[in-house]
Amino acid sequence: MKRFLIIACFMAFTAIAAAQNTISIDVTGAKDTISRFIYGHFSEHLGHCIYDGFYVGENNKSIPNKNGVRLDVIAALKKMKIPVLRWPGGCFADTYHWRDGVGPKEKRPSMLNVWWGNVKEDNSFGTNEFLNMCEELGAEPYLSGNVGSGTPQELTDWVKYTTYPNGSSPMTDFRMANGRTTPWKVGFWGLGNEAWGCGGNMKVEHYVDVYRQYATFMTDWNNSDKLYRIASGASDNDYHWTEVLMKELPANMFDALGLHHYSVIDWNKKGPSTNFSEKEYFITMQRALLMEELVTKHSAIMDKYDPKKKKALAVDEWGGWYDVEPGTNPAFLFQQNTMRDAMIAGSNLNIFNNHADRVKMANLAQVINVLQAVILTDKEKMILTPTYHVMEMYNVHQDALMLPLKVTSVDYVLGKDKLKAVNASASKDKNGLTHISLVNIDPNKEQTVTINIKGASYSSVSGRILKSGRMQDYNSFDNPEKIKPVNFEAVTLAGNKLVVKIPATSVVVLELK
């Protein structure tokens, strides 16, 4: 009997130990920098992202703007520290001809936006407007070239128009005639978008040759800043696409491969963005956390051909995708943004941070009024979404040294399915401050997490938290600050050990000195 009690007690203790959340961080093992471009964004001529989002027109008297771009949007994105902005698409990019969007606005031809609602595109927001806006934001531009319906000549002329020194090409004279006296700094160039889909429905074996042709004529010999070429990469788990690109593209012709993955319940029935069930939430988080597997497996293929990791993985479209808000244009992809989206954002950014050796850029889709937006607008009103607040909280990781960590988490269980409740990432910035970002995706239970840090000790800890009463909660135009970061105090520090109590469905960022 006594022996049975001892065994039972041991088993109970083992079960309790196994049910603990622990994180071990190794400061001494740090070697990779978290690129600030992981915190990038994506803007497309889709719905009200550009028009009535960024751009309200130079003649607008009711909304404060600079050259037609909303000042409140500029201020919000600068606070968030937006590092890079991808434009003009998306599917729209492979129908876009850049010359239609430069020169006197009254002379710019209009076009039909066949991808997003067959609405008229008047081209009043074009290359000059976008690149000038990026300068105002302090963000690097990432231009998506038209490979689907364009020509190599058209793309190389765009490179010359935007980046070449004065007098070196007829394109630079064209630029000066359109009011820009000096070249812009445009390093990032995408050669096509979703070549496997809306960018041409190509097989990868065909796209390789198309890419090589376009890259050949995108010369940058007269450019003091080397072009950074990004190939149209795989959709989700199309590992064959990555394999062929890595095997067949000459190393001197590309710098990164793209990867697109959305957190979608079902493409035919995406579900509501606000009144979703816990089952729908669980499936969305399954899709979001799949990013870990996708990044790991695509990176492993890249490692075979590029063991020194000179080429990057650019996750240049990611985020949650649901049914549009009732009463809105189905082609405009306008959806609300809840604490579920904060969970997607925090979890994916943790994944990208932890893969900083290979992931050098990521672009959330999309900035304003489309998909998992960080900003929503309605005429003169503007609100910041939970996703915005996560991106702003996490900007402490930009260009910081990634600290390797190991997470042991209890499960968030729904029926017969389970996911790890806690995920995290950590970094040390140039000022010596350590930051730890933590996500508890469990909507029902607080999680207590013990963090042990090797190779450092600290004297103080502070933090911020993003949480709300329900995972379906969101900021509205009537209640724009329902969800916003507040100080976090449920943490204790003793030397190099932290104990943190993370509420259900919340994001926490800690700062240690």
Side-chain angles (χ1 to χ4, degrees), residues 236-288:
D236 302 293
N237 61 351
D238 187 351
Y239 302 115
H240 174 69
W241 190 280
T242 298
E243 184 88 39
V244 173
L245 291 186
M246 290 301 299
K247 183 177 181 180
E248 300 295 339
L249 288 182
N252 66 338
M253 281 192 170
F254 79 106
D255 298 282
L257 303 184
L259 173 65
H260 290 183
H261 173 64
Y262 287 95
S263 304
V264 183
I265 295 174
D266 185 325
W267 284 106
N268 297 312
K269 190 177 181 182
K270 303 180 185 71
S273 64
T274 55
N275 298 318
F276 52 87
S277 65
E278 185 174 352
K279 182 178 180 181
E280 288 172 316
Y281 168 75
F282 189 95
I283 296 172
T284 301
M285 293 312 301
Q286 276 184 322
R287 305 292 191 266

Side-chain angles (χ1 to χ4, degrees), residues 343-356:
M343 298 298 98
I344 294 173
S347 298
N348 274 277
L349 290 171
N350 282 339
I351 292 169
F352 300 150
N353 288 347
N354 291 329
H355 287 275

Side-chain angles (χ1 to χ4, degrees), residues 17-24 405-411 420-423 447-450:
Q20 291 180 342
N21 299 297
T22 60
I23 299 175
S24 57
L405 52 71
K406 181 179 180 181
V407 179
T408 301
S409 171
V410 302
D411 293 325
K420 295 301 180 185
V422 175
N423 61 76
Q447 301 294 336
T448 299
V449 182
T450 301

Side-chain angles (χ1 to χ4, degrees), residues 23 176 348 364 387 396:
I23 299 175
M176 294 182 69
N348 274 277
L364 177 67
T387 298
V396 294

Side-chain angles (χ1 to χ4, degrees), residues 39 79-81 390-398:
Y39 292 82
K79 181 181 179 183
M80 193 179 66
K81 296 184 179 179
V390 172
M391 300 289 283
E392 187 274 327
M393 291 168 66
Y394 272 51
N395 68 27
V396 294
H397 292 302
Q398 292 186 18

